Short mmCIF file of all heavy atoms in Angstrom, two decimals:
data_model
loop_
_atom_site.label_atom_id
_atom_site.label_comp_id
_atom_site.label_asym_id
_atom_site.label_seq_id
_atom_site.Cartn_x
_atom_site.Cartn_y
_atom_site.Cartn_z
N LYS A 55 1.49 21.71 7.84
CA LYS A 55 2.15 22.76 7.06
C LYS A 55 2.81 22.15 5.83
O LYS A 55 3.59 21.22 5.95
CB LYS A 55 3.20 23.44 7.94
CG LYS A 55 2.99 24.94 7.97
CD LYS A 55 4.15 25.69 8.58
CE LYS A 55 3.94 27.18 8.40
NZ LYS A 55 3.18 27.77 9.50
N MET A 66 -7.91 33.74 -17.32
CA MET A 66 -9.10 32.93 -17.11
C MET A 66 -9.33 32.02 -18.31
O MET A 66 -8.92 32.34 -19.43
CB MET A 66 -10.32 33.81 -16.89
CG MET A 66 -10.65 34.71 -18.07
SD MET A 66 -12.04 35.75 -17.70
CE MET A 66 -13.35 34.58 -17.85
N GLU A 79 -7.35 14.38 -9.47
CA GLU A 79 -8.51 13.49 -9.41
C GLU A 79 -8.62 12.58 -10.62
O GLU A 79 -9.57 11.82 -10.74
CB GLU A 79 -9.79 14.32 -9.23
CG GLU A 79 -10.08 14.54 -7.76
CD GLU A 79 -10.80 15.84 -7.48
OE1 GLU A 79 -11.76 16.12 -8.23
OE2 GLU A 79 -10.40 16.57 -6.57
N THR A 85 -15.87 22.71 -15.24
CA THR A 85 -15.47 23.55 -14.12
C THR A 85 -16.29 24.83 -14.17
O THR A 85 -16.90 25.13 -15.20
CB THR A 85 -13.99 23.93 -14.24
OG1 THR A 85 -13.78 24.52 -15.52
CG2 THR A 85 -13.10 22.73 -14.09
N ILE A 86 -16.26 25.56 -13.08
CA ILE A 86 -16.74 26.92 -13.19
C ILE A 86 -15.57 27.82 -12.88
O ILE A 86 -14.61 27.41 -12.22
CB ILE A 86 -17.92 27.23 -12.24
CG1 ILE A 86 -17.55 26.85 -10.82
CG2 ILE A 86 -19.18 26.52 -12.70
CD1 ILE A 86 -18.50 27.42 -9.81
N SER A 87 -15.65 29.00 -13.41
CA SER A 87 -14.53 29.92 -13.28
C SER A 87 -14.18 30.07 -11.80
O SER A 87 -15.04 30.28 -10.95
CB SER A 87 -14.91 31.26 -13.88
OG SER A 87 -13.79 32.09 -13.85
N THR A 88 -12.91 29.94 -11.50
CA THR A 88 -12.48 29.92 -10.10
C THR A 88 -12.70 31.26 -9.43
O THR A 88 -12.44 32.32 -10.00
CB THR A 88 -10.99 29.54 -10.04
OG1 THR A 88 -10.82 28.32 -10.73
CG2 THR A 88 -10.50 29.43 -8.61
N VAL A 89 -13.20 31.18 -8.20
CA VAL A 89 -13.39 32.38 -7.40
C VAL A 89 -12.29 32.41 -6.36
O VAL A 89 -12.19 31.50 -5.55
CB VAL A 89 -14.77 32.35 -6.71
CG1 VAL A 89 -14.94 33.58 -5.83
CG2 VAL A 89 -15.87 32.27 -7.75
N GLY A 90 -11.49 33.45 -6.41
CA GLY A 90 -10.45 33.58 -5.39
C GLY A 90 -9.29 32.63 -5.61
O GLY A 90 -8.29 32.98 -6.22
N GLY A 91 -9.42 31.44 -5.15
CA GLY A 91 -8.32 30.48 -5.27
C GLY A 91 -8.71 29.21 -4.55
O GLY A 91 -9.69 29.16 -3.84
N ALA A 92 -7.93 28.20 -4.79
CA ALA A 92 -8.21 26.93 -4.12
C ALA A 92 -6.90 26.20 -3.99
O ALA A 92 -5.95 26.50 -4.71
CB ALA A 92 -9.17 26.09 -4.96
N PHE A 93 -6.84 25.27 -3.06
CA PHE A 93 -5.58 24.55 -3.04
C PHE A 93 -5.73 23.07 -2.69
O PHE A 93 -6.70 22.65 -2.10
CB PHE A 93 -4.54 25.26 -2.19
CG PHE A 93 -4.49 24.87 -0.75
CD1 PHE A 93 -3.47 24.05 -0.30
CD2 PHE A 93 -5.43 25.31 0.15
CE1 PHE A 93 -3.39 23.70 1.03
CE2 PHE A 93 -5.35 24.96 1.48
CZ PHE A 93 -4.33 24.15 1.92
N LEU A 95 -3.35 19.52 -1.50
CA LEU A 95 -2.09 19.05 -0.94
C LEU A 95 -1.69 17.79 -1.68
O LEU A 95 -2.52 16.91 -1.90
CB LEU A 95 -2.25 18.71 0.53
CG LEU A 95 -1.93 19.81 1.54
CD1 LEU A 95 -2.02 19.26 2.94
CD2 LEU A 95 -0.56 20.41 1.30
N LYS A 96 -0.42 17.73 -2.06
CA LYS A 96 0.04 16.55 -2.78
C LYS A 96 1.23 15.98 -2.02
O LYS A 96 2.18 16.68 -1.73
CB LYS A 96 0.46 16.95 -4.19
CG LYS A 96 1.21 15.88 -4.94
CD LYS A 96 0.29 14.84 -5.51
CE LYS A 96 1.08 13.64 -6.04
NZ LYS A 96 0.20 12.54 -6.42
N TRP A 106 -1.55 25.54 -5.54
CA TRP A 106 -2.55 26.60 -5.52
C TRP A 106 -3.10 26.85 -6.92
O TRP A 106 -2.35 27.09 -7.86
CB TRP A 106 -1.96 27.89 -4.96
CG TRP A 106 -1.93 27.88 -3.47
CD1 TRP A 106 -0.97 27.38 -2.66
CD2 TRP A 106 -2.95 28.41 -2.60
NE1 TRP A 106 -1.31 27.54 -1.35
CE2 TRP A 106 -2.52 28.17 -1.26
CE3 TRP A 106 -4.17 29.05 -2.82
CZ2 TRP A 106 -3.27 28.57 -0.17
CZ3 TRP A 106 -4.91 29.44 -1.71
CH2 TRP A 106 -4.48 29.20 -0.41
N ARG A 111 -9.48 35.50 -13.47
CA ARG A 111 -10.30 36.69 -13.74
C ARG A 111 -9.63 37.96 -13.22
O ARG A 111 -9.07 37.96 -12.13
CB ARG A 111 -11.68 36.53 -13.10
CG ARG A 111 -12.71 36.04 -14.07
CD ARG A 111 -13.72 35.21 -13.40
NE ARG A 111 -14.43 35.96 -12.37
CZ ARG A 111 -15.36 35.42 -11.59
NH1 ARG A 111 -15.67 34.15 -11.74
NH2 ARG A 111 -15.94 36.14 -10.68
N GLN A 113 -10.74 40.46 -11.89
CA GLN A 113 -11.22 40.88 -10.58
C GLN A 113 -10.33 40.39 -9.44
O GLN A 113 -10.15 41.07 -8.44
CB GLN A 113 -12.63 40.30 -10.42
CG GLN A 113 -13.31 40.68 -9.13
CD GLN A 113 -14.61 39.92 -8.96
OE1 GLN A 113 -14.85 38.90 -9.59
NE2 GLN A 113 -15.48 40.46 -8.10
N PHE A 114 -9.77 39.18 -9.61
CA PHE A 114 -8.98 38.60 -8.53
C PHE A 114 -7.48 38.73 -8.76
O PHE A 114 -6.67 38.12 -8.07
CB PHE A 114 -9.33 37.11 -8.38
CG PHE A 114 -10.77 36.89 -8.06
CD1 PHE A 114 -11.62 36.28 -8.97
CD2 PHE A 114 -11.29 37.31 -6.83
CE1 PHE A 114 -12.95 36.09 -8.67
CE2 PHE A 114 -12.63 37.12 -6.53
CZ PHE A 114 -13.47 36.50 -7.45
N GLY A 116 -5.42 40.93 -8.16
CA GLY A 116 -4.64 41.47 -7.04
C GLY A 116 -4.21 40.43 -6.04
O GLY A 116 -3.26 40.63 -5.27
N LEU A 117 -4.89 39.28 -6.01
CA LEU A 117 -4.56 38.27 -5.01
C LEU A 117 -3.30 37.49 -5.37
O LEU A 117 -2.71 36.84 -4.55
CB LEU A 117 -5.73 37.28 -4.86
CG LEU A 117 -7.08 37.91 -4.52
CD1 LEU A 117 -8.14 36.83 -4.46
CD2 LEU A 117 -7.01 38.66 -3.20
N MET A 120 0.01 37.65 -3.39
CA MET A 120 -0.01 37.00 -2.09
C MET A 120 0.10 35.48 -2.25
O MET A 120 0.82 34.83 -1.52
CB MET A 120 -1.29 37.36 -1.35
CG MET A 120 -1.28 36.87 0.06
SD MET A 120 -2.53 37.62 1.07
CE MET A 120 -3.93 36.66 0.66
N TYR A 121 -0.61 34.97 -3.24
CA TYR A 121 -0.53 33.53 -3.45
C TYR A 121 0.87 33.09 -3.85
O TYR A 121 1.32 32.00 -3.52
CB TYR A 121 -1.54 33.09 -4.52
CG TYR A 121 -2.97 33.10 -4.02
CD1 TYR A 121 -4.00 33.57 -4.84
CD2 TYR A 121 -3.29 32.64 -2.75
CE1 TYR A 121 -5.31 33.56 -4.40
CE2 TYR A 121 -4.59 32.65 -2.30
CZ TYR A 121 -5.60 33.11 -3.12
OH TYR A 121 -6.88 33.12 -2.68
N ARG A 123 3.63 34.41 -2.91
CA ARG A 123 4.68 34.69 -1.94
C ARG A 123 5.34 33.40 -1.45
O ARG A 123 4.67 32.49 -0.97
CB ARG A 123 4.10 35.49 -0.77
CG ARG A 123 5.17 35.90 0.23
CD ARG A 123 4.72 37.05 1.09
NE ARG A 123 4.66 38.30 0.32
CZ ARG A 123 3.62 39.11 0.28
NH1 ARG A 123 2.56 38.82 0.95
NH2 ARG A 123 3.65 40.20 -0.46
N GLN A 267 9.30 31.44 6.15
CA GLN A 267 8.42 32.57 6.37
C GLN A 267 9.11 33.72 7.10
O GLN A 267 8.96 34.87 6.76
CB GLN A 267 7.17 32.14 7.16
CG GLN A 267 6.11 31.51 6.29
CD GLN A 267 6.42 30.06 5.99
OE1 GLN A 267 7.32 29.47 6.57
NE2 GLN A 267 5.68 29.48 5.06
N ILE A 271 10.07 37.81 5.30
CA ILE A 271 9.55 39.15 5.54
C ILE A 271 10.69 40.14 5.74
O ILE A 271 10.64 41.27 5.26
CB ILE A 271 8.57 39.15 6.73
CG1 ILE A 271 7.81 40.47 6.72
CG2 ILE A 271 9.27 38.93 8.05
CD1 ILE A 271 6.45 40.32 7.35
N TYR A 274 12.27 41.02 2.57
CA TYR A 274 11.31 41.38 1.53
C TYR A 274 11.74 42.57 0.71
O TYR A 274 11.83 42.53 -0.50
CB TYR A 274 9.95 41.60 2.17
CG TYR A 274 8.93 42.06 1.17
CD1 TYR A 274 8.56 41.23 0.12
CD2 TYR A 274 8.38 43.31 1.28
CE1 TYR A 274 7.64 41.63 -0.80
CE2 TYR A 274 7.46 43.73 0.35
CZ TYR A 274 7.09 42.90 -0.69
OH TYR A 274 6.19 43.31 -1.60
N LYS A 275 12.06 43.66 1.42
CA LYS A 275 12.37 44.89 0.69
C LYS A 275 13.61 44.71 -0.18
O LYS A 275 13.64 45.09 -1.32
CB LYS A 275 12.60 46.04 1.68
CG LYS A 275 11.33 46.47 2.39
CD LYS A 275 10.62 47.61 1.66
CE LYS A 275 9.14 47.53 1.80
NZ LYS A 275 8.40 48.54 2.48
N MET B 300 -0.97 8.94 -2.25
CA MET B 300 -1.50 9.83 -3.28
C MET B 300 -1.99 11.11 -2.63
O MET B 300 -2.08 11.26 -1.44
CB MET B 300 -2.66 9.16 -4.00
CG MET B 300 -2.25 8.14 -5.05
SD MET B 300 -1.03 8.73 -6.23
CE MET B 300 -2.05 9.88 -7.19
N ARG B 302 -4.19 14.07 -1.36
CA ARG B 302 -5.43 14.08 -0.62
C ARG B 302 -6.16 15.35 -1.01
O ARG B 302 -5.57 16.42 -1.02
CB ARG B 302 -5.11 14.10 0.87
CG ARG B 302 -6.27 13.84 1.75
CD ARG B 302 -5.74 13.54 3.15
NE ARG B 302 -4.98 14.69 3.62
CZ ARG B 302 -5.51 15.69 4.27
NH1 ARG B 302 -6.81 15.73 4.49
NH2 ARG B 302 -4.77 16.68 4.70
N ARG B 303 -7.39 15.22 -1.33
CA ARG B 303 -8.10 16.41 -1.72
C ARG B 303 -8.45 17.18 -0.48
O ARG B 303 -9.05 16.66 0.45
CB ARG B 303 -9.36 16.05 -2.48
CG ARG B 303 -9.89 17.26 -3.22
CD ARG B 303 -11.26 17.01 -3.73
NE ARG B 303 -12.15 16.81 -2.60
CZ ARG B 303 -13.44 16.65 -2.74
NH1 ARG B 303 -13.99 16.62 -3.92
NH2 ARG B 303 -14.21 16.47 -1.70
N PHE B 305 -9.56 20.48 -0.69
CA PHE B 305 -10.55 21.52 -0.89
C PHE B 305 -11.12 21.41 -2.29
O PHE B 305 -10.39 21.35 -3.27
CB PHE B 305 -9.88 22.86 -0.69
CG PHE B 305 -10.70 24.01 -1.19
CD1 PHE B 305 -11.94 24.26 -0.67
CD2 PHE B 305 -10.21 24.80 -2.21
CE1 PHE B 305 -12.69 25.30 -1.14
CE2 PHE B 305 -10.97 25.85 -2.67
CZ PHE B 305 -12.20 26.10 -2.15
N PRO B 307 -12.92 23.40 -4.81
CA PRO B 307 -13.28 24.82 -4.96
C PRO B 307 -14.75 25.01 -5.32
O PRO B 307 -15.37 25.94 -4.86
CB PRO B 307 -12.36 25.30 -6.07
CG PRO B 307 -11.84 24.09 -6.73
CD PRO B 307 -11.88 23.00 -5.73
N HIS B 308 -15.26 24.16 -6.15
CA HIS B 308 -16.65 24.31 -6.51
C HIS B 308 -17.28 22.95 -6.48
O HIS B 308 -16.65 21.99 -6.82
CB HIS B 308 -16.80 24.83 -7.94
CG HIS B 308 -15.91 25.98 -8.23
ND1 HIS B 308 -16.12 27.21 -7.73
CD2 HIS B 308 -14.78 26.04 -8.95
CE1 HIS B 308 -15.16 28.01 -8.15
NE2 HIS B 308 -14.32 27.32 -8.89
N ARG B 313 -20.73 24.19 -16.19
CA ARG B 313 -20.46 25.49 -16.78
C ARG B 313 -21.20 25.53 -18.11
O ARG B 313 -21.22 24.52 -18.82
CB ARG B 313 -18.96 25.61 -17.02
CG ARG B 313 -18.49 26.95 -17.52
CD ARG B 313 -17.13 26.81 -18.15
NE ARG B 313 -16.10 26.55 -17.16
CZ ARG B 313 -15.23 27.50 -16.75
NH1 ARG B 313 -15.28 28.72 -17.19
NH2 ARG B 313 -14.29 27.19 -15.91
N ARG B 324 -19.43 35.37 -17.22
CA ARG B 324 -18.63 34.83 -16.13
C ARG B 324 -18.05 35.94 -15.28
O ARG B 324 -17.98 35.84 -14.08
CB ARG B 324 -17.48 33.99 -16.69
CG ARG B 324 -17.82 32.56 -16.95
CD ARG B 324 -16.84 31.94 -17.92
NE ARG B 324 -15.44 32.11 -17.52
CZ ARG B 324 -14.70 31.17 -16.95
NH1 ARG B 324 -15.20 30.02 -16.67
NH2 ARG B 324 -13.44 31.39 -16.66
N ASP B 369 -21.12 36.15 -8.41
CA ASP B 369 -20.21 35.90 -9.52
C ASP B 369 -20.41 34.55 -10.17
O ASP B 369 -19.75 34.23 -11.15
CB ASP B 369 -18.78 36.04 -9.05
CG ASP B 369 -18.47 37.47 -8.75
OD1 ASP B 369 -18.66 38.30 -9.67
OD2 ASP B 369 -18.14 37.76 -7.62
N GLN B 576 4.43 44.85 4.27
CA GLN B 576 4.29 43.87 3.20
C GLN B 576 2.88 43.99 2.62
O GLN B 576 1.91 43.98 3.37
CB GLN B 576 4.47 42.51 3.86
CG GLN B 576 4.25 41.38 2.95
CD GLN B 576 5.30 40.29 3.23
OE1 GLN B 576 6.09 39.99 2.38
NE2 GLN B 576 5.29 39.72 4.40
N ASP B 577 2.82 44.12 1.30
CA ASP B 577 1.50 44.24 0.68
C ASP B 577 0.80 42.90 0.71
O ASP B 577 1.42 41.87 0.50
CB ASP B 577 1.65 44.66 -0.80
CG ASP B 577 2.32 46.00 -0.92
OD1 ASP B 577 2.43 46.69 0.13
OD2 ASP B 577 2.73 46.35 -2.04
N LEU B 578 -0.50 42.96 0.94
CA LEU B 578 -1.26 41.70 0.84
C LEU B 578 -1.95 41.66 -0.51
O LEU B 578 -1.51 40.98 -1.41
CB LEU B 578 -2.24 41.58 1.98
CG LEU B 578 -1.58 41.36 3.35
CD1 LEU B 578 -2.60 41.31 4.45
CD2 LEU B 578 -0.74 40.09 3.33
N PHE B 579 -2.99 42.47 -0.66
CA PHE B 579 -3.62 42.54 -1.97
C PHE B 579 -4.45 43.82 -2.06
O PHE B 579 -4.80 44.40 -1.04
CB PHE B 579 -4.48 41.29 -2.24
CG PHE B 579 -5.54 41.01 -1.23
CD1 PHE B 579 -6.80 41.60 -1.32
CD2 PHE B 579 -5.29 40.16 -0.17
CE1 PHE B 579 -7.78 41.32 -0.38
CE2 PHE B 579 -6.27 39.88 0.78
CZ PHE B 579 -7.53 40.46 0.68
N PRO B 580 -4.70 44.26 -3.26
CA PRO B 580 -5.43 45.51 -3.42
C PRO B 580 -6.88 45.38 -3.00
O PRO B 580 -7.48 44.30 -3.16
CB PRO B 580 -5.34 45.79 -4.93
CG PRO B 580 -4.55 44.69 -5.53
CD PRO B 580 -4.31 43.65 -4.51
N PRO B 603 -11.75 40.90 -2.79
CA PRO B 603 -12.56 41.25 -3.96
C PRO B 603 -13.57 40.15 -4.27
O PRO B 603 -13.35 39.01 -3.91
CB PRO B 603 -11.51 41.35 -5.08
CG PRO B 603 -10.37 40.52 -4.62
CD PRO B 603 -10.35 40.66 -3.13
N GLY B 604 -14.66 40.56 -4.87
CA GLY B 604 -15.65 39.58 -5.30
C GLY B 604 -16.29 38.83 -4.16
O GLY B 604 -16.72 37.70 -4.32
N LEU B 606 -14.94 37.73 -1.40
CA LEU B 606 -14.13 36.65 -0.82
C LEU B 606 -13.81 36.92 0.63
O LEU B 606 -13.60 38.08 1.01
CB LEU B 606 -12.82 36.50 -1.60
CG LEU B 606 -12.87 35.96 -2.99
CD1 LEU B 606 -11.47 35.90 -3.56
CD2 LEU B 606 -13.49 34.57 -2.99
N MET B 608 -10.75 36.27 2.70
CA MET B 608 -9.38 35.82 2.45
C MET B 608 -8.65 35.61 3.76
O MET B 608 -8.83 36.36 4.71
CB MET B 608 -8.61 36.90 1.67
CG MET B 608 -9.10 37.17 0.28
SD MET B 608 -8.66 35.85 -0.86
CE MET B 608 -6.88 35.94 -0.82
N VAL B 612 0.71 36.69 9.15
CA VAL B 612 1.56 37.86 9.33
C VAL B 612 2.73 37.85 8.34
O VAL B 612 3.34 38.87 8.09
CB VAL B 612 2.11 37.97 10.77
CG1 VAL B 612 0.98 38.22 11.75
CG2 VAL B 612 2.89 36.73 11.14
N ASP B 613 3.02 36.68 7.78
CA ASP B 613 4.09 36.61 6.78
C ASP B 613 3.59 36.97 5.39
O ASP B 613 4.36 36.89 4.43
CB ASP B 613 4.67 35.20 6.74
CG ASP B 613 5.15 34.76 8.09
OD1 ASP B 613 5.87 35.56 8.73
OD2 ASP B 613 4.81 33.65 8.51
N GLY B 614 2.34 37.31 5.31
CA GLY B 614 1.82 37.73 4.02
C GLY B 614 1.49 36.60 3.09
O GLY B 614 1.45 36.76 1.88
N ILE B 615 1.29 35.42 3.65
CA ILE B 615 0.88 34.33 2.77
C ILE B 615 -0.49 33.81 3.20
O ILE B 615 -0.96 34.09 4.29
CB ILE B 615 1.91 33.17 2.74
CG1 ILE B 615 2.06 32.58 4.12
CG2 ILE B 615 3.24 33.62 2.18
CD1 ILE B 615 2.92 31.34 4.12
N SER B 616 -1.09 33.09 2.29
CA SER B 616 -2.39 32.54 2.54
C SER B 616 -2.21 31.05 2.75
O SER B 616 -1.59 30.39 1.94
CB SER B 616 -3.29 32.80 1.33
OG SER B 616 -4.61 32.94 1.74
N GLN B 617 -2.74 30.54 3.84
CA GLN B 617 -2.56 29.10 4.09
C GLN B 617 -3.85 28.33 3.89
O GLN B 617 -3.88 27.13 3.97
CB GLN B 617 -2.06 28.88 5.51
CG GLN B 617 -0.60 29.21 5.64
CD GLN B 617 -0.12 29.03 7.05
OE1 GLN B 617 -0.88 29.20 7.99
NE2 GLN B 617 1.14 28.70 7.20
N ARG B 618 -4.91 29.09 3.71
CA ARG B 618 -6.19 28.41 3.48
C ARG B 618 -6.81 29.02 2.23
O ARG B 618 -6.61 30.20 1.94
CB ARG B 618 -7.17 28.68 4.61
CG ARG B 618 -6.69 28.26 5.96
CD ARG B 618 -7.70 28.75 6.98
NE ARG B 618 -7.06 29.00 8.24
CZ ARG B 618 -6.83 28.07 9.17
NH1 ARG B 618 -7.21 26.84 8.94
NH2 ARG B 618 -6.22 28.37 10.28
N PRO B 620 -9.72 30.69 0.14
CA PRO B 620 -10.71 31.67 0.61
C PRO B 620 -12.12 31.08 0.67
O PRO B 620 -12.42 30.08 0.03
CB PRO B 620 -10.63 32.75 -0.46
CG PRO B 620 -10.08 32.09 -1.67
CD PRO B 620 -9.18 31.00 -1.18
N HIS B 622 -16.21 31.99 0.10
CA HIS B 622 -16.89 32.86 -0.84
C HIS B 622 -18.18 33.41 -0.25
O HIS B 622 -19.19 32.74 -0.19
CB HIS B 622 -17.19 32.08 -2.12
CG HIS B 622 -17.63 32.95 -3.23
ND1 HIS B 622 -18.19 32.46 -4.39
CD2 HIS B 622 -17.61 34.30 -3.37
CE1 HIS B 622 -18.50 33.48 -5.17
NE2 HIS B 622 -18.15 34.58 -4.57
#
Side-chain angles (χ1 to χ4, degrees):
Chain A
K55 234 192 172 88
M66 61 183 285
E79 271 150 45
T85 54
I86 53 166
S87 185
T88 305
V89 178
F93 91 104
L95 267 185
K96 169 80 191 172
W106 279 86
R111 263 148 60 183
Q113 183 187 18
F114 300 113
L117 304 178
M120 188 165 82
Y121 286 139
R123 184 159 289 129
Q267 278 81 10
I271 194 152
Y274 177 63
K275 290 268 147 116
Chain B
M300 281 309 288
R302 192 166 59 88
R303 196 192 64 176
F305 166 60
H308 313 288
R313 185 199 289 256
R324 272 160 53 102
D369 290 304
Q576 175 140 243
D577 298 347
L578 292 177
F579 56 87
L606 289 180
M608 295 286 297
V612 294
D613 304 312
I615 61 173
S616 211
Q617 284 178 330
R618 303 173 209 275
H622 191 192

